[in-house]
Amino acid sequence: MRKKSIRRLLCLLILVVLGGCGKAKVESASTEENIPVEETEQAETVSDTEDTEEENAEAAEELIPETYAFSCTVTINPEIKLYLNQKNEIVGFEYLNEDAKDAYQKLSLKGLTVEAGVKEMILAASEKGYLDTNKKVSIAIAEVKDTSCDTQAVCGKIKEAAQEVIAEEKIEAELEIADYENENAVPENPCTACGGTGKCQECKGDGYRGSGYSVSCPRCHGALTETCIYCDANGNSTKHEGICDFPNCMGAHVYACTICGGGTKPVTCESCGGSGACNVCGGSGNL
């Protein structure tokens, strides 16, 4: 009996010990499973934060590419220059003032189409309060390196995108879109009157007759007096006998300029009406 009792006690002890070990193993396994998950989640959060900070830091830096097809400037008060490829995608940008960096440094512009980028910038400028006082958004094609680019079509897309975001967000803004103007470009079908320059040939485009003189009077060229063409140096008429009877001369041969009246004010060109533009092509340079 005593031996049997001892055996029973030993069996109970063995069961208790084994049960405790099993529980310890379960708790240990549970702990081992839970701790790495929490640590992994924390590590991933830190990693994501670092990646975001790196992306923002990269986005804040200017990126001026070596090669690009054309460029455009976006001016609100923040002013930025965008560099684009043949697909109208932003491949680089340049902050032209500190306000631009303040407004756009968190934007990831690279890779966006120019119209998408313009939308983002109008929103950002509005949120920063730059459109509270200055209500004008000016966008202009600044430079064209690849002449195959249809900048006129690009301007149309930009205008449509800008108008869309202004309407959707109820932003009060005046929109100005300007295509590239190459002053040295010669029209394909130049005007025969101005040679494709678009400028009045009489006043050379400054809107005044006698262009190029210190005083723009075409008759006296700044001398304030002119010589009578109807008489000789002595005031004698070359058309009739006796003293010249031309009303402004009356034998004086030299008299106050009939165009500027002896004064110094410029005289408006009659051909262009003071606009300086060719009156045949209207200043377009084309027929």
Side-chain angles (χ1 to χ4, degrees):
M1 289 288 294
R2 188 177 178 182
K3 288 181 179 180
K4 288 181 179 180
S5 298
I6 292 171
R7 287 175 182 173
R8 286 176 182 174
L9 286 173
L10 288 172
C11 288
L12 286 172
L13 286 171
I14 291 168
L15 289 172
V16 169
V17 172
L18 290 174
C21 289
K23 185 178 180 181
K25 285 182 181 179
V26 171
E27 288 178 354
S28 176
S30 176
T31 304
E32 287 175 358
E33 287 176 0
N34 291 337
I35 290 175
V37 170
E38 291 176 358
E39 289 179 354
T40 303
E41 288 177 351
Q42 291 176 357
E44 287 177 354
T45 303
V46 171
S47 177
D48 290 343
T49 304
E50 289 177 352
D51 289 343
T52 304
E53 289 177 354
E54 287 178 3
E55 287 175 2
N56 288 340
E58 184 179 352
E61 295 178 0
E62 293 180 332
L63 179 63
I64 304 175
E66 292 183 2
T67 58
Y68 56 93
F70 65 103
S71 66
C72 74
T73 56
V74 181
T75 306
I76 299 175
N77 187 46
E79 187 172 13
I80 188 171
K81 187 173 185 180
L82 305 177
Y83 297 92
L84 304 115
N85 61 18
Q86 292 87 348
K87 297 179 180 179
N88 305 334
E89 297 169 336
I90 300 171
V91 293
F93 56 90
E94 180 182 1
Y95 299 127
L96 300 182
N97 59 17
E98 286 299 316
D99 287 341
K101 189 171 185 179
D102 172 59
Y104 308 137
Q105 63 179 345
K106 292 184 179 180
L107 300 181
S108 298
L109 297 172
K110 187 178 178 182
L112 294 179
T113 61
V114 63
E115 53 266 32
V118 165
K119 273 188 171 184
E120 293 288 334
M121 285 183 281
I122 291 175
L123 282 172
S126 179
E127 290 173 0
K128 284 282 187 177
Y130 287 107
L131 281 165
D132 292 346
T133 53
N134 180 24
K135 303 293 184 181
K136 185 176 290 186
V137 177
S138 300
I139 305 167
I141 305 298
E143 181 186 11
V144 177
K145 284 192 171 184
D146 186 345
T147 54
S148 66
C149 294
D150 188 352
T151 56
Q152 187 175 3
V154 173
C155 286
K157 290 180 180 179
I158 293 174
K159 184 177 181 179
E160 186 178 344
Q163 286 176 334
E164 183 180 339
V165 71
I166 286 172
E168 286 178 353
E169 300 299 323
K170 295 180 173 59
I171 299 171
E172 293 183 13
E174 178 186 350
L175 187 62
E176 289 184 351
I177 309 290
D179 197 358
Y180 180 63
E181 293 185 5
N182 187 355
E183 294 181 355
N184 299 319
V186 178
E188 293 181 2
N189 185 25
C191 172
T192 55
C194 66
T197 65
K199 296 180 179 180
C200 170
Q201 291 303 291
E202 184 177 349
C203 67
K204 305 304 179 186
D206 71 357
Y208 298 107
R209 295 182 66 185
S211 176
Y213 297 99
S214 57
V215 177
S216 297
C217 177
R219 191 68 73 84
C220 67
H221 308 309
L224 309 184
T225 56
E226 56 185 319
T227 303
C228 178
I229 60 173
Y230 298 114
C231 65
D232 58 23
N234 297 319
N236 295 315
S237 174
T238 56
K239 296 178 67 177
H240 307 283
E241 293 181 2
I243 296 175
C244 176
D245 59 358
F246 185 68
N248 296 86
C249 174
M250 297 306 293
H253 187 61
V254 176
Y255 50 88
C257 179
T258 56
I259 298 296
C260 67
T264 57
K265 65 179 181 179
V267 181
T268 302
C269 175
E270 295 177 1
S271 293
C272 69
S275 67
C278 173
N279 61 357
V280 176
C281 66
S284 68
N286 289 298
L287 283 177

